[in-house]
Amino acid sequence: MQLGTRWPFGAEPPASVPASIRPAIAEAEVGRVDGAGRAWTLTWLEGRPIAELDDGTVVRESTDPHAGTADAGDDDW
């Protein structure tokens, strides 16, 4: 069993937040001005981490094997 955690919007995620979703959390926070007073909640579903912001924004670990590659889905003509 893995326990979740909460942390404030804009703060460094706790050590229990996996590295695999940290970039997506940071990306979700970039440029947002409505984060004051909000918090993230880390939960686990079938062993996979899910971070949800109080406003309903959800960040999940990607199951796409091509995620993060520069040419995923792109054709070079």
Side-chain angles (χ1 to χ4, degrees), residues 5-43:
T5 191
R6 287 181 58 83
W7 70 99
F9 179 93
E12 181 71 23
S16 60
V17 176
S20 62
I21 64 170
R22 286 172 178 264
I25 291 168
E27 185 177 323
E29 291 185 347
V30 170
R32 297 212 33 192
V33 294
D34 63 343
R38 297 195 185 275
W40 289 97
T41 302
L42 174 67
T43 57

Side-chain angles (χ1 to χ4, degrees), residues 1 7-8 15 17-18 23-26 28 33 35 37 45 48-49 52-56 58-59 64 68 76:
M1 177 200 291
W7 70 99
V17 176
I25 291 168
V33 294
L45 179 62
R48 293 197 172 126
E52 184 172 356
L53 190 58
D54 291 343
D55 71 355
V58 175
V59 172
D64 179 359
D76 292 332

Side-chain angles (χ1 to χ4, degrees), residues 47-76:
R48 293 197 172 126
I50 300 171
E52 184 172 356
L53 190 58
D54 291 343
D55 71 355
T57 301
V58 175
V59 172
R60 298 174 188 266
E61 189 174 59
S62 176
T63 58
D64 179 359
H66 300 291
T69 60
D71 61 350
D74 293 337
D75 290 326
D76 292 332

